Amino acid sequence: MATSFLILQACTTAPPKNTENICETFREKSNWYKHAKTSYQKWGVPIPVQMAIIHQESRFVADAAPPRRKLLGFIPWFRKSSAYGYAQALDGTWGDYMKHNRRWNADREDFADAVDFVGWYNHMSYKRLGLAKSNARQLYLAYHEGHTGYRRRTFLQKPWLLKVADKVDRKARIYDSQLNSCWNEFESKSWFFW
C-alpha cells in the first residue's frame, strides 16, 4: 500500500518552490514560460494575469481539487464542485473548452493545457462581457462567477470574493513587475524551447 502511494505521488508534478516570484517559477519550470507565452500569443491575455489566476486557483498544484465533505463527520463524501487541476476548471466548462478548441485530449493536470484554458476563458470574457484582457480583477470575478454570474453581478453579494479579486489584481501587478526584470532572460532562451 505504501509503495502504491509513493508511485502515485511521484507521477504528480510538484508545484514550484517559490510561487511568489514569477521569475523563480519560470526558472524552475523551464517550459512554463513557453506555454504561458503561447497562450498569450493565441488569446491576448497577459502572462502575469494568467499566472495570477492560476496562483489563486491552485497555487500551481497540478491535481488541486476542493476538499471532500464528510458524511457523519468522518466518512469522505462528495466534493462541493468538480473544479480540478491547475486552473480549477469545472467539468462542464472544461468540456466546452475542449469542444470549442477541438482539444479532445486536453488534461487539467497539464500546465500547457491549463494555461491555454485560462487564456481562452478570459478571451471569452473579453468577447462576451467586454472586459479588458489586462484587467485581472474583473477577469477573475468573471472566471469565478461564470459569465452569467458576472452579468448578474453576483459577486456584489460576496465581499470575500471582492477581496480575493483585489488580491489577484495585486498578484498580477507584482508578477508583471517581476517579469519585466527577467523577461530578456526567458526570451533569449526561448529559442531552445521551440
Side-chain angles (χ1 to χ4, degrees):
M1 181 72 167
T3 307
S4 308
F5 176 73
L6 290 174
I7 290 169
L8 286 173
Q9 196 174 26
C11 293
T12 303
T13 303
K17 291 180 182 74
N18 184 358
T19 61
E20 299 306 311
N21 187 305
I22 198 169
C23 298
E24 292 300 317
T25 295
F26 286 149
R27 284 182 189 118
E28 182 180 344
K29 305 291 186 180
S30 59
N31 60 348
W32 282 17
Y33 176 77
K34 176 189 81 162
H35 299 312
K37 181 180 176 183
T38 299
S39 177
Y40 166 66
Q41 290 171 329
K42 186 174 178 183
W43 304 113
V45 179
I47 293 171
V49 173
Q50 296 175 57
M51 296 296 282
I53 289 172
I54 294 173
H55 179 274
Q56 177 59 42
E57 291 298 286
S58 68
R59 296 297 189 272
F60 302 107
V61 174
D63 59 352
R68 289 189 180 277
R69 295 180 181 182
K70 303 283 186 189
L71 181 65
L72 303 175
F74 66 95
I75 301 170
W77 201 240
F78 298 106
R79 298 185 191 281
K80 66 179 182 175
S81 86
S82 63
Y84 187 73
Y86 287 112
Q88 288 296 280
L90 299 172
D91 290 348
T93 313
W94 188 258
D96 289 344
Y97 163 74
M98 290 192 299
K99 179 181 173 187
H100 287 119
N101 295 286
R102 297 181 182 190
R103 300 204 57 213
W104 306 115
N105 63 344
D107 182 351
R108 289 182 277 187
E109 289 185 32
D110 184 291
F111 182 80
D113 293 337
V115 77
D116 189 66
F117 170 84
V118 170
W120 169 79
Y121 193 88
N122 289 311
H123 174 73
M124 297 307 290
S125 296
Y126 159 78
K127 284 180 69 175
R128 293 176 179 170
L129 304 170
L131 303 180
K133 292 182 181 182
S134 59
N135 189 331
R137 183 180 190 275
Q138 296 303 316
L139 289 173
Y140 184 74
L141 290 171
Y143 192 89
H144 190 277
E145 296 297 278
H147 295 142
T148 302
Y150 185 89
R151 273 193 206 96
R152 292 180 182 160
R153 303 178 68 77
T154 56
F155 52 85
L156 293 177
Q157 281 71 53
K158 300 175 182 178
W160 62 269
L161 179 58
L162 296 172
K163 289 178 184 175
V164 171
D166 289 338
K167 191 168 111 178
V168 171
D169 185 60
R170 281 192 303 275
K171 179 63 69 185
R173 291 172 195 274
I174 290 167
Y175 278 172
D176 185 56
S177 176
Q178 291 169 345
L179 189 57
N180 282 332
S181 74
C182 64
W183 180 82
N184 286 333
E185 172 187 344
F186 296 108
E187 281 300 300
S188 66
K189 293 177 182 176
S190 67
W191 67 272
F192 285 114
F193 301 137
W194 303 103

